[in-house]
Amino acid sequence: MTEKQALITGASGEIGQALVQELSRRGGYKIVTADFMPLPKTIEPLSAEHVRGDLLYQIKKFYDYDFDVIFHLAASLSSKAEVAMEEAQRINVEGTLQLLLLAAHRSEKYKKSIKFLFPSSIAAYGLPSLETKQAAGLAQEDEWSDPRTMYGCNKLYCEKLGLYYSQCYGQKHLDETPPHFLDFRAVRFPGLISAFTAPSGGTSDYGPEMLHAAAQGQAYACFVRPDTKISFMAMPDAIRSLLMLLDAPPAKLTRRVYNVTAFAITAEEFRQRALRAFPQAQITFAPDRRRQGIVDSWPTDVDDTLARKDWGWQPAYDVERFFDDYFLPEMKKRYLP
Ligand code: AKB
């Protein structure tokens, strides 16, 4: 079987590292990675080539490759994007636009379908007040599309750009869609938690930060209120959802942007579970107005019925399995005597 070529941008980030590992374990792909950081040693041997530097300056290089799949993970996350907005616009929007153009150009020129996998986010939602959030229930894909952060605006716009380049670019008639085309697919991720890496720059970071600090015996002051509730997912489930969507036959897809979720939990429930596992943990609450406001604008949980129906999505880790079978065993192995 001939190897396919995959590009993974943001490969040194949390999702990137986990995806490089899983895709290489699966086999069948020559993996090209890109990031402005070097690759961590753990995944270096898995990448055929690492393109290091600012994506926008490197984009010309990618025209020399024959990618079958692009996983565009590079992003500036919600807390960071709020204080470095122009940088966020460059990384989140201009980087995505350039890669979409590359994929659209190559699929037209070489008459081949290129899959473009994009991690969107619950930040694409924006609920106007905490009261609305509490009353809203599960958010469906086409509801509450007024994000209140730069990052959320960037993600929502890039979803639209992906749809534009895959469906409307060149203003073809709908019945003209050729067999070669840019095949854009996106999942809206909740907060993600890895047992192996720590996040940075996000606003859902309080969950993983609290757990990693508790496991290491470090005091942690949580930057949101105890009652703050959003959905989270174990990193292996996030990777599985991306790869399930990658594999889904086009005829099964009733849309191109899907919610996925695993478990919704409050910051206080995180604290209770951390204390149960690490009784010495010192966890306090010191809400930050700005970051609290961001999480209060995100839905408590999302409705992922369509992902379940169309491509069989189901998380392997509910809250119990997340702690008992994934996160805590790894933490205990690493930090407890
Ligand atoms: C963030 O907090 O910015 C991200 C996200 C929810 O997309 N983790």
Side-chain angles (χ1 to χ4, degrees):
M1 203 179 74
T2 51
E3 257 192 344
K4 290 186 171 175
Q5 282 201 43
L7 170 64
I8 302 181
T9 73
S12 303
E14 280 205 289
I15 308 178
Q17 292 183 47
L19 179 63
V20 169
Q21 278 168 338
E22 184 55 25
L23 203 61
S24 118
R25 197 192 59 75
R26 270 184 158 206
Y29 285 95
K30 173 183 171 186
I31 302 174
V32 177
T33 51
D35 203 293
F36 70 93
M37 298 293 284
L39 278 184
K41 290 270 174 278
T42 43
I43 59 166
E44 225 175 51
L46 311 179
S47 167
E49 191 183 337
H50 183 58
V51 177
R52 189 173 167 198
D54 186 320
L55 190 63
L56 287 174
Y57 292 127
Q58 303 296 339
I59 203 84
K60 276 201 187 125
K61 265 193 200 151
F62 298 132
Y63 278 81
D64 296 336
Y65 294 85
D66 186 17
F67 295 122
D68 300 281
V69 189
I70 295 173
F71 294 92
H72 178 40
L73 312 178
S76 170
L77 298 186
S78 55
S79 285
K80 181 149 184 241
E82 229 36 46
V83 290
M85 292 177 194
E86 283 159 25
E87 182 191 76
Q89 167 74 19
R90 259 173 61 73
I91 298 174
N92 296 349
V93 178
E94 288 167 37
T96 307
L97 179 64
Q98 289 303 325
L99 277 177
L100 283 167
L101 270 169
L102 163 86
H105 169 80
R106 290 198 68 91
S107 69
E108 291 262 335
K109 186 162 176 196
Y110 298 102
K111 314 242 172 299
K112 97 179 218 182
S113 164
I114 298 182
K115 287 187 177 163
F116 195 105
L117 273 287
F118 183 67
S120 190
S121 161
I122 50 167
Y125 293 106
L127 290 104
S129 66
L130 186 56
E131 295 70 41
T132 321
K133 167 174 169 146
Q134 284 161 347
L138 303 181
Q140 290 173 4
E141 282 88 347
D142 296 323
E143 292 183 309
W144 309 111
S145 306
D146 291 307
R148 297 173 71 86
T149 59
M150 174 55 104
Y151 170 73
C153 292
N154 295 163
K155 286 290 186 193
L156 188 61
Y157 178 54
C158 288
E159 291 177 2
K160 303 287 180 209
L161 282 178
L163 296 176
Y164 168 78
Y165 277 102
S166 56
Q167 294 168 0
C168 314
Y169 185 49
Q171 295 303 326
K172 289 184 286 286
H173 288 289
L174 286 180
D175 58 1
E176 263 185 281
T177 308
H180 46 89
F181 69 114
L182 169 54
D183 186 350
F184 178 82
R185 304 172 179 207
V187 278
R188 284 190 182 158
F189 280 135
L192 301 181
I193 312 180
S194 167
F196 301 92
T197 52
S200 79
T203 318
S204 62
D205 294 6
Y206 62 89
E209 278 175 4
M210 185 191 294
L211 298 182
H212 281 280
Q216 292 171 66
Q218 293 166 359
Y220 184 71
C222 178
F223 59 78
V224 295
R225 292 185 314 268
D227 65 306
T228 306
K229 189 170 184 179
I230 56 167
S231 50
F232 285 89
M233 182 180 283
M235 189 58 80
D237 267 341
I239 302 305
R240 211 165 53 81
S241 71
L242 267 182
L243 295 179
M244 284 179 81
L245 183 57
L246 170 75
D247 292 341
K252 293 268 182 207
L253 304 182
T254 57
R255 52 183 304 122
R256 293 291 166 158
V257 177
Y258 287 92
N259 281 339
V260 286
T261 183
F263 51 89
I265 179 174
T266 64
E268 175 59 19
E269 284 171 83
F270 267 125
R271 190 180 80 98
Q272 292 300 334
R273 286 183 181 269
L275 283 173
R276 224 181 290 158
F278 308 103
Q280 310 305 325
Q282 291 171 49
I283 301 164
T284 51
F285 289 93
D288 170 90
R289 247 185 91 240
R290 197 176 53 83
R291 297 180 97 183
Q292 181 71 60
I294 293 176
V295 191
D296 285 347
S297 77
W298 293 347
T300 304
D301 203 354
V302 298
D303 183 350
D304 62 2
T305 305
L306 294 173
R308 288 172 186 256
K309 259 202 208 145
D310 290 0
W311 39 277
W313 162 248
Q314 204 175 357
Y317 295 98
D318 61 10
V319 69
E320 301 301 334
R321 282 207 63 208
F322 167 79
F323 281 98
D324 297 345
D325 299 350
Y326 173 66
F327 193 79
L328 294 178
E330 177 55 35
M331 290 301 111
K332 288 181 175 159
K333 194 160 76 191
R334 206 175 322 156
Y335 298 118
L336 292 187

